[in-house]
Amino acid sequence: MRIPVSRLDEFPPGERRIVEEGRRSIGVFRVGDRFYALNNHCPHQGGPLCLGRTAPWVRSTRPGEVRVDGDHALVACPWHGWEYDLATGQSFLGPGEAPVRTYGVSVGAREIDREPGPYVVETYPVHVEDAWVVVDTATRGEESA
């Protein structure tokens, strides 16, 4: 099933649209010139995922050094703050869980990446046809430009 979302010229970078088709609710995000589509249902506890805040990846290799990586975008569920990668749907945070044991930290020269969480949200391909942004629910997985 193909779902028209918006005219391209009416969908500026940094915006999102939520479309409803039958029982499906899908959030479509424009990050720069790339489009991403996610199921608007947080797998953690069912919150309206696509209404959450978005943020770029932030990385640090040592104290005082922070790098913003604008190529990857995250969305955080407004209910509990669980974060998901817009491109893959992979979760990365679960602040509602009980605290874990803490350990001392040493500073090294290597970059530490996030460890994937237990959930993956469903993603849909998005493409532009005749100046319209279109979500394709027949094929799942990879994002389109």
Side-chain angles (χ1 to χ4, degrees):
M1 174 184 307
R2 298 159 53 80
I3 305 168
V5 176
S6 170
R7 289 194 44 83
L8 181 60
D9 60 355
E10 295 172 353
F11 199 157
E15 293 288 318
R16 79 185 84 190
R17 301 284 187 271
I18 296 178
V19 294
E20 307 283 337
E21 181 65 34
R23 295 182 346 186
R24 237 182 229 152
S25 178
I26 299 170
V28 182
F29 297 80
R30 183 171 184 183
V31 179
D33 289 328
R34 300 187 88 138
F35 291 91
Y36 305 95
L38 301 172
N39 190 358
N40 189 23
H41 177 84
C42 180
H44 172 231
Q45 289 191 350
L49 177 62
C50 298
L51 294 179
R53 65 174 170 72
T54 58
W57 284 90
V58 177
R59 302 183 190 276
S60 177
T61 56
R62 64 177 181 260
E65 181 182 292
V66 177
R67 183 181 79 222
V68 175
D69 182 358
D71 293 336
H72 300 279
L74 304 169
V75 61
C77 179
W79 283 10
H80 299 107
W82 282 58
E83 293 179 318
Y84 297 87
D85 185 313
L86 287 176
T88 66
Q90 180 64 58
S91 70
F92 290 95
L93 186 64
E97 301 298 313
V100 297
R101 183 175 172 191
T102 59
Y103 298 90
V105 177
S106 62
V107 177
R110 87 179 198 41
E111 186 172 301
I112 299 173
D113 287 325
R114 291 176 160 206
E115 184 174 326
Y119 298 108
V120 177
V121 71
E122 191 172 14
T123 63
Y124 301 96
V126 182
H127 52 272
V128 177
E129 289 181 13
D130 300 321
W132 278 85
V133 178
V134 177
V135 173
D136 186 353
T137 61
T139 311
R140 296 185 178 141
E142 303 296 317
E143 38 90 16
S144 301

